[in-house]
Amino acid sequence: MFIEHGYEKVSMRDIAKDLGCSHGALYYHFKNKAALFSEVLAFYFDELNLLIDLTMKQEKNDKLQELLLGFLRFGLNYPYQYELMFLLKSEEVDSLMQQPAAASYEKFAAAVKKASGKDLQNDMIYSIFLALHGFVSLHLHRVPNFEGAAKAAAVHVDFLRKTI
Amino acid sequence: MFIEHGYEKVSMRDIAKDLGCSHGALYYHFKNKAALFSEVLAFYFDELNLLIDLTMKQEKNDKLQELLLGFLRFGLNYPYQYELMFLLKSEEVDSLMQQPAAASYEKFAAAVKKASGKDLQNDMIYSIFLALHGFVSLHLHRVPNFEGAAKAAAVHVDFLRKTI
DNA sequence: TACTAAAACTGACCACTGGTCAAAGAGGTG
DNA sequence: CACCTCTTTGACCAGTGGTCAGTTTTAGTA
């Protein structure tokens, strides 16, 4: 439900109705709405980490491009998840999200360094990440999925590749 | 109030209490909360446009750097405004915000082109904008103001300058 | 001055939200 | 049976954005 309609639009009562229980019962299992949602999101951090691993494992000559494009694809194909993984700042959710987000970033940064074949500066990798994040956060929800911005994504990644 | 506490935190009743009227009265003047807020934001689009104009008018050798840094400074010093100018996607607000946002972008893009002294491709300018947007949207609300990320901002702008 | 029409405002009301909690139910063990 | 823990319920709270019939204020006219 969160994935289809977003965090704000889904109420605890909606979830309870779908489960066939009262909304009060949810508060026995989860401290609050944010805690419930963050457990849903944990799955998607794993998914992103897995995606990075898979990209690095496959036999391709241009892993770097695949890495950058893969990030954009992930962001736009899981818009609500991405929004809460890297964008939302509501105090409640953010405190639960910062640690896994940082871990995923570290994994991404290490992969980029390795895939580039060069000894890239950390600052540079961070700038590249910011540029990718900018792309996703601007196209988020304005485009139905990655396909809707695939061409622009390729152009952006191309721009970034040239800087490396 | 919006600027200090953010869109979600300020209720129509809060505003009405501050004005010394009933919250119903607000709905006589504004279709809804989003419409009220978007009128507040119009001021900040003007502010950003003015900032671009001023940067281009001043006698400096490195207008380009000033332009890019200025955008980051604006974003981090007016975090709630920036959030709703370029980040928020609630259907209500977004439809009111897209046009002025696009206009401000066009102004920015033209200024970057002129300041660079080269005939930059539009795609490239857009990528640069996305990279700046990524910086702001990631640091937003995690840092009290521009000063809190000034060093990282300088590094990021430096990275972008090198690509031009 | 008295009247009128428009503009502005009020506050009760609606359906909804996240969250709390005493009470009630289940299920298992001795 | 009693006893105990785990789980669930649903009434309740304070708050939200939004609506609207009814009232007041304002300003212009006869």
Side-chain angles (χ1 to χ4, degrees), chain A residues 84-113:
Chain A
L84 282 119
M85 288 165 78
F86 294 104
L87 223 43
L88 202 78
K89 269 103 178 181
S90 104
E91 296 120 45
E92 343 150 286
V93 181
D94 198 39
S95 62
L96 296 162
M97 229 74 285
Q98 283 212 16
Q99 189 262 318
S104 277
Y105 170 75
E106 287 307 327
K107 197 175 187 65
F108 173 82
V112 166
K113 199 171 216 164

Side-chain angles (χ1 to χ4, degrees), chain A residues 9 86 89 91 94 98 123-124 126-128 130-131 133-135 137-140 142 155-156 159 163, chain B residues 9 86 89 91 94 98 123-124 126-127 130-131 133-135 137-140 142 155-156 159 163:
Chain A
K9 283 270 173 73
F86 294 104
K89 269 103 178 181
E91 296 120 45
D94 198 39
Q98 283 212 16
D123 285 347
M124 191 168 175
Y126 189 56
S127 281
I128 288 167
L130 290 176
H133 176 66
F135 185 93
S137 74
L138 208 82
H139 289 83
L140 213 66
R142 304 208 212 276
V155 170
H156 192 51
F159 165 77
T163 70
Chain B
K9 284 269 172 73
F86 295 104
K89 268 103 178 180
E91 295 118 48
D94 198 39
Q98 283 211 14
D123 285 347
M124 190 169 176
Y126 188 55
S127 281
L130 291 176
H133 175 67
F135 184 93
S137 73
L138 207 83
H139 288 82
L140 212 65
R142 305 209 210 276
V155 170
H156 192 52
F159 164 77
T163 71

